[in-house]
Amino acid sequence: MTPIHAPFPARRFRRLRRMAALRDLVAESRLSARDLIWPLFVTDVAGADAPVASMPGVARLTVEGAVRAAEEAARLGIPAVCLFPYTDPALKTADCAEAWNPENLSNRAVRAIKAAVPEIAVMTDVALDPYNLHGHDGLVRDGVILNDETVEALVRMALAQAEAGADILGPSDMMDGRIGAIRAALEAGGHRDVAILSYAAKYASAFYGPFRDAVGAAGALKGDKKTYQMDPANRAEALRLVARDLAEGADMVMVKPGLPYLDICRAVKDAFGAPTFAYQVSGEYAMLAAAVGKGWLREEAILESLLCFRRAGCDGILTYFAPRAARLLGAA
Ligand code: PBG
């Protein structure tokens, strides 16, 4: 690009900011409901379909409620929902077997949504934490998170989700080698067209706290996830992880959390050009929702935060604000 320097007053930048019509014409990024993935918390534990205290405006839903949310997404032009199960504590075990039960909550919700609203893409979470007595994303032996044994479990889980009709699998566990193993199993199992959105650059973040409340993993979790999730200090490592996951067969990649990591989003998009997503996580949601709820910030802050992901190179954003943002953007 050759910069043309027209000195003042030949160039007055404010000319193109004078009215909305001109601003619209020259806007470099746009946000639409179509860029959003709406994460939903699902439960079948009696009484657990209740508001999540640390996420004002978010509630756990029954399977029926999740179907209604998917219908709402369709009305609002939101293309996809992502399911996170709040599992009955009685079903949590050290071997996490409920994770690949074809009849588990998540798989039942996938089937119910795909039966009612087939045009909505349903994404699922591939990680063991909702089913794990230990609250970790991987199998634990003697206090160590096992990698290769976990990958075998994730493959079983992924196949059960694909059987249930999931359109997008979201491995969020950060074990090494899981994308290649899941991709190979999907090919061998007749699920060639199931997409993988890899949580490729997922950081060990304090911003996940409210999510762990929502899925009931906070109580079980001992210690932290720093031996598998990334160090927030690292950037080059994120690019190496994205390269690895794309090479292993991920169709799309994610950076998580979102706003504090926009530099990573931009670097990933520029380096690979692959479909790139960011997860505006529960803690980011909690901060914004609380400040807007108290009247400390105006509601436009929500749309601004989402537009910034687009400017940073993201194709889309997972956000709990999805329906509210879609309404603010003028959808039905
Ligand atoms: C766990 C998982 C987490 C989130 C999505 N999947 C939490 C964690 O890694 O502890 C966080 C999402 C959010 O905070 O909104 N597999």
Side-chain angles (χ1 to χ4, degrees):
M1 201 166 26
T2 318
I4 308 289
H5 297 293
F8 177 82
R11 171 79 64 250
R12 288 179 186 270
F13 281 96
R14 291 185 56 193
R15 281 185 203 122
L16 296 182
R17 298 185 201 130
R18 183 172 61 85
M19 60 195 290
L22 295 177
R23 290 193 296 272
D24 276 349
L25 282 175
V26 300
E28 297 176 36
S29 325
R30 293 191 199 276
L31 176 70
S32 125
R34 289 186 191 81
D35 306 318
L36 305 178
I37 299 177
W38 182 9
L40 302 173
F41 298 114
V42 190
T43 186
D44 56 3
V45 178
D49 54 329
V52 180
S54 50
M55 299 182 72
V58 172
R60 298 185 202 98
L61 307 170
T62 59
V63 171
E64 248 313 294
V67 170
R68 283 196 298 274
E71 288 165 350
E72 188 184 352
R75 274 196 304 278
L76 293 170
I78 297 166
V81 298
C82 179
L83 302 180
F84 293 100
Y86 173 94
T87 307
D88 183 346
L91 295 173
K92 296 188 187 197
T93 57
D95 69 0
C96 306
E98 180 65 7
W100 50 91
N101 175 356
E103 293 304 320
N104 74 17
L105 173 61
S106 174
N107 292 331
R108 278 184 281 122
V110 170
R111 281 195 290 269
I113 292 173
K114 291 306 295 184
V117 217
E119 70 271 27
I120 285 284
V122 177
M123 174 171 167
T124 49
D125 192 54
V126 185
L128 300 179
D129 51 319
Y131 310 98
N132 196 342
L133 211 47
H134 301 286
H136 276 290
D137 293 27
L139 299 168
V140 182
R141 190 191 300 143
D142 301 329
V144 175
I145 320 298
L146 304 171
N147 191 88
D148 301 14
E149 294 83 344
T150 298
V151 170
E152 284 175 33
L154 295 172
V155 164
R156 298 171 80 170
M157 181 178 189
L159 283 172
Q161 293 176 349
E163 284 308 330
D167 300 292
I168 306 170
L169 304 186
S172 69
D173 57 287
M174 290 295 280
M175 298 300 126
D176 287 313
R178 89 275 204 220
I179 301 299
I182 292 170
R183 175 54 73 211
L186 291 172
E187 285 290 325
H191 300 292
R192 291 182 193 145
D193 292 328
V194 173
I196 298 177
L197 168 44
S198 168
Y199 289 60
K202 176 172 176 178
Y203 290 85
S205 173
F207 287 95
Y208 306 150
F211 172 96
R212 292 178 193 166
D213 297 336
V215 299
L221 183 63
K222 279 177 222 65
D224 56 46
K225 300 192 176 186
K226 291 181 183 172
T227 69
Y228 47 108
Q229 299 179 348
M230 281 181 69
D231 184 340
N234 293 356
R235 180 181 124 107
E237 186 188 3
L239 297 178
R240 294 162 68 212
L241 285 166
V242 169
R244 188 267 315 261
D245 285 4
L246 289 171
E248 288 187 14
D251 303 286
M252 307 178 267
V253 291
M254 192 200 296
V255 174
K256 178 184 175 191
L259 281 190
Y261 296 83
L262 286 186
D263 59 323
I264 310 298
C265 296
R266 170 49 65 196
V268 165
K269 189 62 183 181
D270 286 350
F272 303 102
T276 302
F277 290 76
Y279 199 141
Q280 183 178 55
V281 300
S282 57
E284 300 174 65
Y285 174 87
M287 292 193 300
L288 263 172
V292 171
K294 285 191 174 290
W296 293 344
L297 287 178
R298 284 188 297 137
E299 211 176 20
E300 291 100 288
I302 295 169
L303 294 185
E304 181 181 330
S305 73
L306 296 171
L307 180 64
C308 289
F309 287 104
R310 300 278 293 143
R311 193 201 59 232
C314 293
D315 296 279
I317 308 111
L318 287 94
T319 176
Y320 304 97
F321 284 118
R324 186 169 181 180
R327 282 196 198 89
L328 288 170
L329 287 164

